[in-house]
Amino acid sequence: MMEESSTVDSEHASVVHSDAPSRLRASSQGKRLFGLLIDIVLIILILNTLDSLFRQENWDLKQQARSWLDLTWFYGGAMLFLVFRDLSQNGSPGKRMLGMCLRKIENLNEIVPKDRLFKRNLSLFILPWEAWEIFRDPYGRRLGDRLAGTVVIDNPDAMRPMRRLLLSNLLFFGFFIIALGLQQPNMRKTSAFQVSYEVVKQDSRYLELRAAGFELEEPELHLDFRGDAEDSRVRFRVNQDEEVQIFEVVLALVEKPSPHWELKGLEFQTLKQEEED
């Protein structure tokens, strides 16, 4: 589908095909859709970060018993973010990253009031159809734009592209750093880790290593939650100067009478550092 560049005549509230730099340019369909995708990705990142931040003890077992009602907050939160994402009046994060903004169709110099922004995004509850509407309309106006009397234009006062790109990368990199920071604390909250750690710390071989001043490094979890699951494994390492001691706890997920991890064995091996590498 060909995308057409267009400009908006603010005096007559119409969109006219032109290359005149003095007029405001309506954002293309592809740019509009890309901005919407950025917003959706950000919403998923925010909700996943909140979910990781507030995970409780034994969350790996509770996750198995989750019903569709337990996911209501996630999907409900996603829709709320979509509905309220433009209420800053300068547009959603996706629009800002791509240098777009929202304006009244009758006066392109006026910022859209919040009540019309809210009305505009209510139609996102039919999201697949709204995405299709962006391509159906020659100027990328979806149903919400027509109901609220708004149009998305290229912001003449937007930050320079390189600055927008830098800020966008910093934002996504921030989510990546947060995810890395929460990984180990959340791993230690799992029932699988707690069961395995209790087994290893009572093993005589580990007690000897601990007496010599060595400690367990961060664990590796390989958990299988499928119905016909294979054995799950939790691996601990103790690094010495020339050797690596590996404790591998073998677990099986038991669903009844209540979900729990059942110990199937403890495997131990010693490797040379070059073999581990």
Side-chain angles (χ1 to χ4, degrees), residues 11-242:
E11 294 182 358
H12 299 89
S14 61
V15 185
V16 183
H17 295 286
S18 172
D19 293 326
S22 60
R23 294 185 177 182
L24 299 174
R25 185 178 299 275
S27 300
S28 66
Q29 295 100 323
K31 196 174 181 180
R32 288 285 315 280
L33 187 60
F34 189 40
L36 179 61
L37 291 176
I38 290 176
D39 288 335
I40 293 174
V41 170
L42 282 175
I43 289 169
I44 293 174
L45 287 174
I46 291 171
L47 292 176
N48 281 335
T49 301
L50 291 175
D51 180 64
S52 297
L53 188 62
F54 295 106
R55 278 184 179 172
Q56 300 177 349
E57 295 290 330
N58 301 328
W59 61 265
D60 53 331
L61 297 180
K62 296 175 183 177
Q63 190 170 2
Q64 293 305 108
R66 293 174 74 176
S67 65
W68 66 271
L69 289 175
D70 298 316
L71 299 176
T72 302
W73 77 269
F74 185 90
Y75 294 108
M79 292 309 303
L80 285 176
F81 272 109
L82 280 174
V83 169
F84 291 102
R85 66 197 173 103
D86 287 319
L87 293 189
S88 66
Q89 294 187 338
N90 288 323
S92 65
K95 292 184 183 68
R96 294 187 184 188
M97 290 180 188
L98 298 179
M100 299 183 290
C101 64
L102 277 165
R103 290 293 185 267
K104 291 181 178 179
I105 189 64
E106 67 271 16
N107 189 341
L108 299 178
N109 295 316
E110 290 188 13
I111 296 176
V112 183
K114 291 185 178 181
D115 58 332
R116 288 171 68 170
L117 290 173
F118 178 76
K119 180 180 179 181
R120 174 182 183 270
N121 284 337
L122 282 178
S123 62
L124 286 174
F125 282 96
I126 51 173
L127 182 60
W129 178 258
E130 281 289 76
W132 172 245
E133 282 288 308
I134 291 176
F135 281 104
R136 286 187 58 190
D137 189 272
Y139 311 113
R141 297 184 72 215
R142 55 182 179 82
L143 177 61
D145 287 310
R146 293 194 289 272
L147 291 175
T150 58
V151 64
V152 179
I153 63 173
D154 291 341
N155 190 352
D157 300 321
M159 290 187 294
R160 293 180 179 179
M162 287 303 298
R163 181 176 295 182
R164 296 201 308 267
L165 180 62
L166 175 61
L167 292 177
S168 302
N169 287 336
L170 288 175
L171 177 62
F172 286 107
F173 186 70
F175 281 108
F176 176 72
I177 294 299
I178 293 173
L180 286 181
L182 293 175
Q183 184 177 16
Q184 287 299 329
N186 283 334
M187 194 178 296
R188 291 178 176 273
K189 290 180 180 179
T190 61
S191 176
F193 167 81
Q194 295 171 12
V195 170
S196 302
Y197 181 70
E198 289 297 323
V199 172
V200 171
K201 77 175 186 179
Q202 296 175 12
D203 187 82
S204 59
R205 291 162 295 194
Y206 169 66
L207 293 176
E208 292 177 3
L209 291 169
R210 186 175 182 181
F214 297 101
E215 295 291 339
L216 295 174
E217 294 191 350
E218 296 297 340
E220 297 178 14
L221 273 67
H222 305 276
L223 306 181
D224 195 336
F225 295 99
R226 296 174 299 177
D228 54 345
E230 299 179 356
D231 292 338
S232 297
R233 295 175 179 269
V234 180
R235 179 179 296 179
F236 298 88
R237 285 183 171 85
V238 177
N239 276 325
Q240 295 177 290
D241 293 335
E242 298 181 356

